[in-house]
Amino acid sequence: ILTGIAGAMADALSMGSSGYLAAKSEAEVQAHQIELERREMRLMPDLEEDELALMYETKGLTRERAREMARTVMQDPAQALETQVREELNIQPAQLAPLGDGLVTGTATAIGAIIPIVPFLVLEAHVAVWVSLTVSMLAHFAIGAARSLFTGRTIFASGRDMFLVGFGVAAVGYVIGDLVVKL
């Protein structure tokens, strides 16, 4: 039980810090791209205006209307940068800050890691093993099924995929644990 709880906490901290660093890195890359775009607009405003006009044309505007819109947008440097960042770089405002990403990822991992431990807190070990496996696999299936809301796949297909991955991970963990005990 103590090893399980320690592992759950280590997993949560590891995943939380990874989520934080991934979001921070993404924000840094985006900030760098925005700064490069800002420099390009300062050094090559005509080229950037042509680029913007071309983007408007690809969206269906006539060449004349696209040029007019690009010229208008380029007169306001802040608006021009915002437009180029959104249209050319496809950078949208961040949904969560790096700290928020890390906290959400770490908390979700902690909750998921505690699920297989709970049966050991209330049941005898030989029963807890099977209850833990059953509850964990049902949780995997449920999470996969919920994922179907976002992916458009069927509930069964998404649930099955998550179940199989979870079961595979559990099987590998069991085999490794059994080998360690035997060695």
Side-chain angles (χ1 to χ4, degrees), residues 13 20 24 27 30 33 35 48 57 60 63 70 78 83 87 90 102 147 150 157 159-161 170 173-174:
L13 291 171
Y20 167 79
K24 187 172 188 291
Q30 289 179 353
Q33 289 176 320
E35 185 53 40
E48 291 297 313
E57 275 186 68
R63 175 173 277 191
T83 302
E87 299 294 333
N90 197 28
R147 214 178 60 168
F150 304 102
R160 178 200 62 219
D161 290 352
Y174 179 83

Side-chain angles (χ1 to χ4, degrees), residues 8 17 20 38 45 47 52 55 65-66 75-76 78 99 102 120 124 139 142 151 154-155 165-166 181:
S17 61
Y20 167 79
R38 181 179 281 116
L47 183 61
L52 189 55
M55 281 187 269
R65 181 71 180 127
Q75 289 176 358
D76 179 357
L99 183 59
F120 291 94
E124 292 184 33
T151 64
T154 66
I155 289 172
V165 169
V181 168

Side-chain angles (χ1 to χ4, degrees), residues 55-128:
M55 281 187 269
Y56 288 142
E57 275 186 68
T58 61
K59 290 183 180 241
L61 294 177
T62 65
R63 175 173 277 191
E64 297 76 32
R65 181 71 180 127
R67 289 223 157 265
E68 181 185 323
M69 281 186 65
R71 195 173 5 267
T72 301
V73 168
M74 292 298 288
Q75 289 176 358
D76 179 357
Q79 182 186 7
L81 179 62
E82 180 184 323
T83 302
Q84 288 285 50
V85 165
R86 186 181 60 249
E87 299 294 333
E88 180 185 349
L89 301 178
N90 197 28
I91 295 175
Q92 307 300 325
Q95 297 296 324
L96 284 178
L99 183 59
D101 272 1
L103 289 172
V104 167
T105 302
T107 301
T109 301
I111 292 168
I114 292 297
I115 290 172
I117 297 170
V118 171
F120 291 94
L121 300 174
V122 295
L123 300 170
E124 292 184 33
H126 67 283
V127 174

